[in-house]
């Protein structure tokens, strides 16, 4: 759903403001997706939600988040070493 909505928004933006606007927005999306917290900390991706306009809406995942998929469990040093490929 999100991919189709992004395509529609980019097409509308291209028609209204020109080719540079959706390209700039796509570059901002890529930059924001690359920024992450350490592997043992929960990441809320608030910057991505703000770019998409979802920062003021409350969804299912905001209230009933699955604790089994939490990133906050585990030994911090081991998780960082695993992410860097040292283990």
């Amino acid at each position: 759903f999100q991919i189709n909505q992004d395509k529609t928004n980019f097409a509308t933006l291209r028609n209204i403001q020109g080719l540079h606007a959706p390209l700039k927005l796509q570059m901002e999306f890529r930059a924001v997706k690359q920024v992450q917290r350490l592997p043992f900390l929960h990441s809320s991706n608030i910057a991505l939600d703000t770019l998409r306009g979802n920062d003021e809406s409350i969804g299912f995942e905001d209230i009933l988040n699955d604790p089994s998929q939490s990133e906050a469990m585990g030994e911090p040093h081991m998780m960082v070493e695993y992410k860097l490929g040292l283990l």
Side-chain angles (χ1 to χ4, degrees), residues 3-75:
I3 294 170
N4 289 337
Q5 187 176 13
D6 286 343
K7 286 181 183 179
T8 305
N9 290 341
F10 291 147
T12 304
L13 198 57
R14 183 174 49 244
N15 291 338
I16 294 172
Q17 295 184 8
L19 185 61
H20 73 283
L23 290 177
K24 180 183 174 194
L25 197 56
Q26 286 177 348
M27 288 188 329
E28 289 178 0
F29 280 158
R30 284 189 189 141
V32 166
K33 286 180 184 178
Q34 290 177 354
V35 176
Q36 295 180 355
R37 287 184 161 182
L38 295 173
F40 58 91
L41 294 175
H42 179 69
S43 181
S44 63
N45 294 325
I46 191 69
L48 187 61
D49 285 344
T50 303
L51 281 176
R52 287 195 169 134
N54 296 335
D55 57 335
E56 295 181 358
S57 63
I58 296 175
F60 177 80
E61 63 277 354
D62 294 327
I63 307 231
L64 299 173
N65 199 7
D66 188 10
S68 68
Q69 296 179 358
S70 176
E71 299 176 66
M73 297 180 185
E75 176 66 31

Side-chain angles (χ1 to χ4, degrees), residues 69-86:
Q69 296 179 358
S70 176
E71 299 176 66
M73 297 180 185
E75 176 66 31
H77 295 288
M78 290 183 70
M79 294 178 82
V80 172
E81 289 174 0
Y82 177 76
K83 178 125 180 157
L84 294 175
L86 300 175

